[in-house]
Every structure is written in structure tokens, then in C-alpha cells.
Amino acid sequence: MQQLTTELAAAHPLMSISYSHRQSRDSAKAGNLRYIMEHTAKHGGSPFVLFLDADMAPDTTILTELVPYFIGPPPGRRPLGFVQSPQFFVNLGETDWLNRHHVAYHALFQQLYGGWLQACWCGTGALFARDALSPSILQLSADQGTITEDAFIAILITNAGYDSIFHAPVVARGFAVPSVAQHLDQQIRIETGAFQNLINTRFLTRLPLPIAIGFWTRTVALISYPLLKLPT
């Protein structure tokens, strides 16, 4: 990655392209964002921050598709905090049930959340307004230590007075967990994180009721799953 970045910087001398990485891995995504915000601020700081997981390859059109949402009047009465795009996985077939699960989530729930101007950040594939990622939000997320800190940051951005929307077309592609066991482990982590977010945000009183109910549903699923596994 560092070599590729060096080659890109040499090929585009008029653009500010650089490579940087953290020495520590504390606070996961919140720590990554806090580090890169501080690092880029030393070089002027772009008004937008694109966040992608290391295994996600963006389309060449990703910025031309996402940036226009921030130009002109905001979609609601509040400033736009971020745009979330779908997670799409190339290692799963279109008929694979794991892929259908992800597609259904983005096609249904994210569309609904976006309709309320309250999209959920999925940890990758999102373009943020730099102003929405305030030091206080990132510090609070790091201090709380919730498992699903991406969703927690989205909640904090909402509570800070920003809207967020969902961009339906796929603009980045990556790899999903390939087995059912790994998928279940991932889901348990998500449900646990949803419960943590309920507690950390005083039960999401500033989110629309349907979204708050969605978090409660995940909490019920977290409690019910191990009970269903008990011997009868």
C-alpha cells in the first residue's frame, strides 16, 4: 500500500497524496478516524473524509457519485453529516444466502433509515463531512468502547444535529466472511454492540422511533439467541 501511494503521488504531483499509519491499534475505527483527522489537519484538511475497510476496493466513480450530495441545499433542515453506500461482496454469489442477507439489509433497512435522513454507518463505504467528525464525538466513541462503534458514531453525529442519507448504487466492493459460523459470530457482535449503544446513548431518545425500535429488536435477539440453544 505504501509503495502504491508513493507511485500515485509521483504520477499526480499537483495532488496531495500521502501514506500514513498508526503505531498503535487502540480504539479501532474511532482511533483510526481520530488519528487521520489530526494527521490531515496538518496538511490543510479536506472538507470530506472517505472511509473504506482495507478489503474494500472503490469504484473510480465513488467520489463523483457521493460528493454531490454535499453540494447545494441539504436534503433536510439540518446539515448533511455523511452518505452511506451499500456493502457489496465479490466472494459471494448472487444467490448465496449470506449475500442475500447483506443485500436485504441495505435494500430495505438502509433505504428506510435514509428516508428518515438517519442512515446507519456500516463501518465502511461512507463519505463524511469533516465538520461532522468532531474531536468530541470521536473521543466519546473511543472512551465508551462499544463493539459497534461505527453505528455509535452515526448516532452521535445525529445527536449533534446532522442528517445522513443512503446512496443505493454500489460504489465499492469487498470480501464477506465466508462461513455460517463466522457470520453468526459477526451477528452476535452486532447485537451486543446494539445493546451497548442503547445504554451509552440513554436508549436513543433522539432517534426516530422506528430506528430506536430496531435497536431494541437487536437487543431482544441477543438475549433470545443463547436461550434458544439451552437444552429442553
Side-chain angles (χ1 to χ4, degrees), residues 186-203:
Q186 186 182 65
Q187 290 304 303
I188 291 174
R189 285 176 55 83
I190 291 174
E191 318 306 351
T192 303
F195 178 71
Q196 291 175 325
N197 290 340
L198 278 171
I199 301 301
N200 291 336
T201 58
R202 296 186 178 88
F203 303 99

mmCIF file with all atom_site columns, all heavy atoms in Angstrom, residues 186-203:
data_model
loop_
_atom_site.group_PDB
_atom_site.id
_atom_site.type_symbol
_atom_site.label_atom_id
_atom_site.label_alt_id
_atom_site.label_comp_id
_atom_site.label_asym_id
_atom_site.label_entity_id
_atom_site.label_seq_id
_atom_site.pdbx_PDB_ins_code
_atom_site.Cartn_x
_atom_site.Cartn_y
_atom_site.Cartn_z
_atom_site.occupancy
_atom_site.B_iso_or_equiv
_atom_site.pdbx_formal_charge
_atom_site.auth_seq_id
_atom_site.auth_comp_id
_atom_site.auth_asym_id
_atom_site.auth_atom_id
_atom_site.pdbx_PDB_model_num
ATOM 1   N N   . GLN A 1 186 ? -20.278 -12.848 13.855 1.00 0.00 ? 186 GLN A N   1
ATOM 2   C CA  . GLN A 1 186 ? -20.370 -11.433 13.492 1.00 0.00 ? 186 GLN A CA  1
ATOM 3   C C   . GLN A 1 186 ? -21.701 -10.851 13.938 1.00 0.00 ? 186 GLN A C   1
ATOM 4   O O   . GLN A 1 186 ? -21.762 -9.725  14.462 1.00 0.00 ? 186 GLN A O   1
ATOM 5   C CB  . GLN A 1 186 ? -20.195 -11.283 11.979 1.00 0.00 ? 186 GLN A CB  1
ATOM 6   C CG  . GLN A 1 186 ? -20.137 -9.853  11.477 1.00 0.00 ? 186 GLN A CG  1
ATOM 7   C CD  . GLN A 1 186 ? -20.000 -9.808  9.963  1.00 0.00 ? 186 GLN A CD  1
ATOM 8   O OE1 . GLN A 1 186 ? -20.892 -10.219 9.232  1.00 0.00 ? 186 GLN A OE1 1
ATOM 9   N NE2 . GLN A 1 186 ? -18.864 -9.318  9.486  1.00 0.00 ? 186 GLN A NE2 1
ATOM 10  N N   . GLN A 1 187 ? -22.790 -11.604 13.753 1.00 0.00 ? 187 GLN A N   1
ATOM 11  C CA  . GLN A 1 187 ? -24.111 -11.115 14.137 1.00 0.00 ? 187 GLN A CA  1
ATOM 12  C C   . GLN A 1 187 ? -24.237 -10.945 15.648 1.00 0.00 ? 187 GLN A C   1
ATOM 13  O O   . GLN A 1 187 ? -24.842 -9.983  16.125 1.00 0.00 ? 187 GLN A O   1
ATOM 14  C CB  . GLN A 1 187 ? -25.195 -12.071 13.626 1.00 0.00 ? 187 GLN A CB  1
ATOM 15  C CG  . GLN A 1 187 ? -25.373 -12.058 12.119 1.00 0.00 ? 187 GLN A CG  1
ATOM 16  C CD  . GLN A 1 187 ? -25.667 -10.665 11.588 1.00 0.00 ? 187 GLN A CD  1
ATOM 17  O OE1 . GLN A 1 187 ? -26.627 -10.023 12.001 1.00 0.00 ? 187 GLN A OE1 1
ATOM 18  N NE2 . GLN A 1 187 ? -24.837 -10.183 10.678 1.00 0.00 ? 187 GLN A NE2 1
ATOM 19  N N   . ILE A 1 188 ? -23.651 -11.867 16.399 1.00 0.00 ? 188 ILE A N   1
ATOM 20  C CA  . ILE A 1 188 ? -23.692 -11.748 17.861 1.00 0.00 ? 188 ILE A CA  1
ATOM 21  C C   . ILE A 1 188 ? -22.950 -10.500 18.307 1.00 0.00 ? 188 ILE A C   1
ATOM 22  O O   . ILE A 1 188 ? -23.383 -9.780  19.213 1.00 0.00 ? 188 ILE A O   1
ATOM 23  C CB  . ILE A 1 188 ? -23.088 -13.013 18.515 1.00 0.00 ? 188 ILE A CB  1
ATOM 24  C CG1 . ILE A 1 188 ? -24.021 -14.201 18.285 1.00 0.00 ? 188 ILE A CG1 1
ATOM 25  C CG2 . ILE A 1 188 ? -22.873 -12.796 20.016 1.00 0.00 ? 188 ILE A CG2 1
ATOM 26  C CD1 . ILE A 1 188 ? -23.466 -15.521 18.758 1.00 0.00 ? 188 ILE A CD1 1
ATOM 27  N N   . ARG A 1 189 ? -21.837 -10.200 17.650 1.00 0.00 ? 189 ARG A N   1
ATOM 28  C CA  . ARG A 1 189 ? -21.106 -8.981  17.966 1.00 0.00 ? 189 ARG A CA  1
ATOM 29  C C   . ARG A 1 189 ? -21.956 -7.741  17.666 1.00 0.00 ? 189 ARG A C   1
ATOM 30  O O   . ARG A 1 189 ? -21.963 -6.770  18.436 1.00 0.00 ? 189 ARG A O   1
ATOM 31  C CB  . ARG A 1 189 ? -19.800 -8.916  17.161 1.00 0.00 ? 189 ARG A CB  1
ATOM 32  C CG  . ARG A 1 189 ? -18.712 -9.843  17.650 1.00 0.00 ? 189 ARG A CG  1
ATOM 33  C CD  . ARG A 1 189 ? -17.495 -9.788  16.735 1.00 0.00 ? 189 ARG A CD  1
ATOM 34  N NE  . ARG A 1 189 ? -17.001 -8.428  16.563 1.00 0.00 ? 189 ARG A NE  1
ATOM 35  C CZ  . ARG A 1 189 ? -16.197 -7.816  17.422 1.00 0.00 ? 189 ARG A CZ  1
ATOM 36  N NH1 . ARG A 1 189 ? -15.796 -8.435  18.516 1.00 0.00 ? 189 ARG A NH1 1
ATOM 37  N NH2 . ARG A 1 189 ? -15.760 -6.585  17.189 1.00 0.00 ? 189 ARG A NH2 1
ATOM 38  N N   . ILE A 1 190 ? -22.687 -7.777  16.550 1.00 0.00 ? 190 ILE A N   1
ATOM 39  C CA  . ILE A 1 190 ? -23.535 -6.644  16.177 1.00 0.00 ? 190 ILE A CA  1
ATOM 40  C C   . ILE A 1 190 ? -24.654 -6.458  17.192 1.00 0.00 ? 190 ILE A C   1
ATOM 41  O O   . ILE A 1 190 ? -24.947 -5.327  17.621 1.00 0.00 ? 190 ILE A O   1
ATOM 42  C CB  . ILE A 1 190 ? -24.103 -6.846  14.766 1.00 0.00 ? 190 ILE A CB  1
ATOM 43  C CG1 . ILE A 1 190 ? -22.979 -6.745  13.722 1.00 0.00 ? 190 ILE A CG1 1
ATOM 44  C CG2 . ILE A 1 190 ? -25.199 -5.819  14.466 1.00 0.00 ? 190 ILE A CG2 1
ATOM 45  C CD1 . ILE A 1 190 ? -23.418 -7.074  12.309 1.00 0.00 ? 190 ILE A CD1 1
ATOM 46  N N   . GLU A 1 191 ? -25.307 -7.567  17.608 1.00 0.00 ? 191 GLU A N   1
ATOM 47  C CA  . GLU A 1 191 ? -26.387 -7.457  18.583 1.00 0.00 ? 191 GLU A CA  1
ATOM 48  C C   . GLU A 1 191 ? -25.856 -6.952  19.923 1.00 0.00 ? 191 GLU A C   1
ATOM 49  O O   . GLU A 1 191 ? -26.502 -6.138  20.595 1.00 0.00 ? 191 GLU A O   1
ATOM 50  C CB  . GLU A 1 191 ? -27.090 -8.813  18.791 1.00 0.00 ? 191 GLU A CB  1
ATOM 51  C CG  . GLU A 1 191 ? -27.358 -9.646  17.561 1.00 0.00 ? 191 GLU A CG  1
ATOM 52  C CD  . GLU A 1 191 ? -28.110 -8.926  16.465 1.00 0.00 ? 191 GLU A CD  1
ATOM 53  O OE1 . GLU A 1 191 ? -28.593 -7.809  16.686 1.00 0.00 ? 191 GLU A OE1 1
ATOM 54  O OE2 . GLU A 1 191 ? -28.221 -9.480  15.363 1.00 0.00 ? 191 GLU A OE2 1
ATOM 55  N N   . THR A 1 192 ? -24.685 -7.443  20.318 1.00 0.00 ? 192 THR A N   1
ATOM 56  C CA  . THR A 1 192 ? -24.078 -6.974  21.567 1.00 0.00 ? 192 THR A CA  1
ATOM 57  C C   . THR A 1 192 ? -23.777 -5.486  21.493 1.00 0.00 ? 192 THR A C   1
ATOM 58  O O   . THR A 1 192 ? -24.045 -4.726  22.432 1.00 0.00 ? 192 THR A O   1
ATOM 59  C CB  . THR A 1 192 ? -22.779 -7.754  21.862 1.00 0.00 ? 192 THR A CB  1
ATOM 60  O OG1 . THR A 1 192 ? -23.056 -9.148  21.913 1.00 0.00 ? 192 THR A OG1 1
ATOM 61  C CG2 . THR A 1 192 ? -22.168 -7.312  23.191 1.00 0.00 ? 192 THR A CG2 1
ATOM 62  N N   . GLY A 1 193 ? -23.243 -5.058  20.354 1.00 0.00 ? 193 GLY A N   1
ATOM 63  C CA  . GLY A 1 193 ? -22.953 -3.647  20.172 1.00 0.00 ? 193 GLY A CA  1
ATOM 64  C C   . GLY A 1 193 ? -24.205 -2.797  20.174 1.00 0.00 ? 193 GLY A C   1
ATOM 65  O O   . GLY A 1 193 ? -24.203 -1.670  20.692 1.00 0.00 ? 193 GLY A O   1
ATOM 66  N N   . ALA A 1 194 ? -25.307 -3.312  19.608 1.00 0.00 ? 194 ALA A N   1
ATOM 67  C CA  . ALA A 1 194 ? -26.566 -2.570  19.615 1.00 0.00 ? 194 ALA A CA  1
ATOM 68  C C   . ALA A 1 194 ? -27.044 -2.353  21.046 1.00 0.00 ? 194 ALA A C   1
ATOM 69  O O   . ALA A 1 194 ? -27.540 -1.268  21.392 1.00 0.00 ? 194 ALA A O   1
ATOM 70  C CB  . ALA A 1 194 ? -27.624 -3.325  18.813 1.00 0.00 ? 194 ALA A CB  1
ATOM 71  N N   . PHE A 1 195 ? -26.893 -3.373  21.892 1.00 0.00 ? 195 PHE A N   1
ATOM 72  C CA  . PHE A 1 195 ? -27.282 -3.231  23.294 1.00 0.00 ? 195 PHE A CA  1
ATOM 73  C C   . PHE A 1 195 ? -26.400 -2.198  24.000 1.00 0.00 ? 195 PHE A C   1
ATOM 74  O O   . PHE A 1 195 ? -26.886 -1.364  24.771 1.00 0.00 ? 195 PHE A O   1
ATOM 75  C CB  . PHE A 1 195 ? -27.176 -4.585  23.996 1.00 0.00 ? 195 PHE A CB  1
ATOM 76  C CG  . PHE A 1 195 ? -27.516 -4.530  25.455 1.00 0.00 ? 195 PHE A CG  1
ATOM 77  C CD1 . PHE A 1 195 ? -28.824 -4.326  25.865 1.00 0.00 ? 195 PHE A CD1 1
ATOM 78  C CD2 . PHE A 1 195 ? -26.535 -4.680  26.419 1.00 0.00 ? 195 PHE A CD2 1
ATOM 79  C CE1 . PHE A 1 195 ? -29.147 -4.267  27.210 1.00 0.00 ? 195 PHE A CE1 1
ATOM 80  C CE2 . PHE A 1 195 ? -26.843 -4.617  27.765 1.00 0.00 ? 195 PHE A CE2 1
ATOM 81  C CZ  . PHE A 1 195 ? -28.154 -4.416  28.166 1.00 0.00 ? 195 PHE A CZ  1
ATOM 82  N N   . GLN A 1 196 ? -25.105 -2.244  23.723 1.00 0.00 ? 196 GLN A N   1
ATOM 83  C CA  . GLN A 1 196 ? -24.200 -1.259  24.308 1.00 0.00 ? 196 GLN A CA  1
ATOM 84  C C   . GLN A 1 196 ? -24.592 0.162   23.878 1.00 0.00 ? 196 GLN A C   1
ATOM 85  O O   . GLN A 1 196 ? -24.565 1.099   24.685 1.00 0.00 ? 196 GLN A O   1
ATOM 86  C CB  . GLN A 1 196 ? -22.761 -1.539  23.890 1.00 0.00 ? 196 GLN A CB  1
ATOM 87  C CG  . GLN A 1 196 ? -22.167 -2.798  24.492 1.00 0.00 ? 196 GLN A CG  1
ATOM 88  C CD  . GLN A 1 196 ? -20.777 -3.089  23.951 1.00 0.00 ? 196 GLN A CD  1
ATOM 89  O OE1 . GLN A 1 196 ? -20.494 -2.829  22.778 1.00 0.00 ? 196 GLN A OE1 1
ATOM 90  N NE2 . GLN A 1 196 ? -19.914 -3.628  24.793 1.00 0.00 ? 196 GLN A NE2 1
ATOM 91  N N   . ASN A 1 197 ? -24.972 0.308   22.613 1.00 0.00 ? 197 ASN A N   1
ATOM 92  C CA  . ASN A 1 197 ? -25.358 1.635   22.115 1.00 0.00 ? 197 ASN A CA  1
ATOM 93  C C   . ASN A 1 197 ? -26.632 2.134   22.787 1.00 0.00 ? 197 ASN A C   1
ATOM 94  O O   . ASN A 1 197 ? -26.802 3.341   23.019 1.00 0.00 ? 197 ASN A O   1
ATOM 95  C CB  . ASN A 1 197 ? -25.542 1.598   20.598 1.00 0.00 ? 197 ASN A CB  1
ATOM 96  C CG  . ASN A 1 197 ? -24.220 1.431   19.862 1.00 0.00 ? 197 ASN A CG  1
ATOM 97  O OD1 . ASN A 1 197 ? -23.165 1.710   20.417 1.00 0.00 ? 197 ASN A OD1 1
ATOM 98  N ND2 . ASN A 1 197 ? -24.291 0.970   18.626 1.00 0.00 ? 197 ASN A ND2 1
ATOM 99  N N   . LEU A 1 198 ? -27.551 1.207   23.083 1.00 0.00 ? 198 LEU A N   1
ATOM 100 C CA  . LEU A 1 198 ? -28.754 1.594   23.812 1.00 0.00 ? 198 LEU A CA  1
ATOM 101 C C   . LEU A 1 198 ? -28.394 2.212   25.158 1.00 0.00 ? 198 LEU A C   1
ATOM 102 O O   . LEU A 1 198 ? -28.927 3.252   25.549 1.00 0.00 ? 198 LEU A O   1
ATOM 103 C CB  . LEU A 1 198 ? -29.643 0.370   24.042 1.00 0.00 ? 198 LEU A CB  1
ATOM 104 C CG  . LEU A 1 198 ? -30.558 -0.082  22.905 1.00 0.00 ? 198 LEU A CG  1
ATOM 105 C CD1 . LEU A 1 198 ? -31.186 -1.420  23.239 1.00 0.00 ? 198 LEU A CD1 1
ATOM 106 C CD2 . LEU A 1 198 ? -31.641 0.955   22.657 1.00 0.00 ? 198 LEU A CD2 1
ATOM 107 N N   . ILE A 1 199 ? -27.482 1.562   25.857 1.00 0.00 ? 199 ILE A N   1
ATOM 108 C CA  . ILE A 1 199 ? -27.087 2.041   27.177 1.00 0.00 ? 199 ILE A CA  1
ATOM 109 C C   . ILE A 1 199 ? -26.303 3.354   27.060 1.00 0.00 ? 199 ILE A C   1
ATOM 110 O O   . ILE A 1 199 ? -26.558 4.330   27.778 1.00 0.00 ? 199 ILE A O   1
ATOM 111 C CB  . ILE A 1 199 ? -26.240 0.987   27.905 1.00 0.00 ? 199 ILE A CB  1
ATOM 112 C CG1 . ILE A 1 199 ? -27.032 -0.323  28.051 1.00 0.00 ? 199 ILE A CG1 1
ATOM 113 C CG2 . ILE A 1 199 ? -25.782 1.498   29.262 1.00 0.00 ? 199 ILE A CG2 1
ATOM 114 C CD1 . ILE A 1 199 ? -28.322 -0.182  28.818 1.00 0.00 ? 199 ILE A CD1 1
ATOM 115 N N   . ASN A 1 200 ? -25.352 3.389   26.148 1.00 0.00 ? 200 ASN A N   1
ATOM 116 C CA  . ASN A 1 200 ? -24.460 4.546   26.046 1.00 0.00 ? 200 ASN A CA  1
ATOM 117 C C   . ASN A 1 200 ? -25.161 5.817   25.590 1.00 0.00 ? 200 ASN A C   1
ATOM 118 O O   . ASN A 1 200 ? -24.688 6.920   25.856 1.00 0.00 ? 200 ASN A O   1
ATOM 119 C CB  . ASN A 1 200 ? -23.301 4.237   25.089 1.00 0.00 ? 200 ASN A CB  1
ATOM 120 C CG  . ASN A 1 200 ? -22.345 3.206   25.660 1.00 0.00 ? 200 ASN A CG  1
ATOM 121 O OD1 . ASN A 1 200 ? -22.257 3.025   26.867 1.00 0.00 ? 200 ASN A OD1 1
ATOM 122 N ND2 . ASN A 1 200 ? -21.622 2.530   24.784 1.00 0.00 ? 200 ASN A ND2 1
ATOM 123 N N   . THR A 1 201 ? -26.280 5.670   24.884 1.00 0.00 ? 201 THR A N   1
ATOM 124 C CA  . THR A 1 201 ? -26.993 6.852   24.376 1.00 0.00 ? 201 THR A CA  1
ATOM 125 C C   . THR A 1 201 ? -28.316 7.080   25.091 1.00 0.00 ? 201 THR A C   1
ATOM 126 O O   . THR A 1 201 ? -29.188 7.766   24.565 1.00 0.00 ? 201 THR A O   1
ATOM 127 C CB  . THR A 1 201 ? -27.259 6.716   22.861 1.00 0.00 ? 201 THR A CB  1
ATOM 128 O OG1 . THR A 1 201 ? -28.032 5.522   22.632 1.00 0.00 ? 201 THR A OG1 1
ATOM 129 C CG2 . THR A 1 201 ? -25.981 6.643   22.074 1.00 0.00 ? 201 THR A CG2 1
ATOM 130 N N   . ARG A 1 202 ? -28.445 6.478   26.281 1.00 0.00 ? 202 ARG A N   1
ATOM 131 C CA  . ARG A 1 202 ? -29.675 6.632   27.077 1.00 0.00 ? 202 ARG A CA  1
ATOM 132 C C   . ARG A 1 202 ? -30.903 6.247   26.253 1.00 0.00 ? 202 ARG A C   1
ATOM 133 O O   . ARG A 1 202 ? -31.881 6.977   26.161 1.00 0.00 ? 202 ARG A O   1
ATOM 134 C CB  . ARG A 1 202 ? -29.802 8.055   27.611 1.00 0.00 ? 202 ARG A CB  1
ATOM 135 C CG  . ARG A 1 202 ? -28.693 8.439   28.596 1.00 0.00 ? 202 ARG A CG  1
ATOM 136 C CD  . ARG A 1 202 ? -28.955 9.815   29.191 1.00 0.00 ? 202 ARG A CD  1
ATOM 137 N NE  . ARG A 1 202 ? -27.933 10.158  30.170 1.00 0.00 ? 202 ARG A NE  1
ATOM 138 C CZ  . ARG A 1 202 ? -26.783 10.768  29.874 1.00 0.00 ? 202 ARG A CZ  1
ATOM 139 N NH1 . ARG A 1 202 ? -26.530 11.080  28.622 1.00 0.00 ? 202 ARG A NH1 1
ATOM 140 N NH2 . ARG A 1 202 ? -25.918 11.057  30.811 1.00 0.00 ? 202 ARG A NH2 1
ATOM 141 N N   . PHE A 1 203 ? -30.794 5.089   25.608 1.00 0.00 ? 203 PHE A N   1
ATOM 142 C CA  . PHE A 1 203 ? -31.902 4.478   24.875 1.00 0.00 ? 203 PHE A CA  1
ATOM 143 C C   . PHE A 1 203 ? -32.350 5.268   23.652 1.00 0.00 ? 203 PHE A C   1
ATOM 144 O O   . PHE A 1 203 ? -33.517 5.226   23.259 1.00 0.00 ? 203 PHE A O   1
ATOM 145 C CB  . PHE A 1 203 ? -33.088 4.228   25.818 1.00 0.00 ? 203 PHE A CB  1
ATOM 146 C CG  . PHE A 1 203 ? -32.711 3.382   26.992 1.00 0.00 ? 203 PHE A CG  1
ATOM 147 C CD1 . PHE A 1 203 ? -32.427 3.967   28.216 1.00 0.00 ? 203 PHE A CD1 1
ATOM 148 C CD2 . PHE A 1 203 ? -32.582 2.013   26.859 1.00 0.00 ? 203 PHE A CD2 1
ATOM 149 C CE1 . PHE A 1 203 ? -32.038 3.197   29.290 1.00 0.00 ? 203 PHE A CE1 1
ATOM 150 C CE2 . PHE A 1 203 ? -32.199 1.231   27.931 1.00 0.00 ? 203 PHE A CE2 1
ATOM 151 C CZ  . PHE A 1 203 ? -31.919 1.823   29.150 1.00 0.00 ? 203 PHE A CZ  1
#
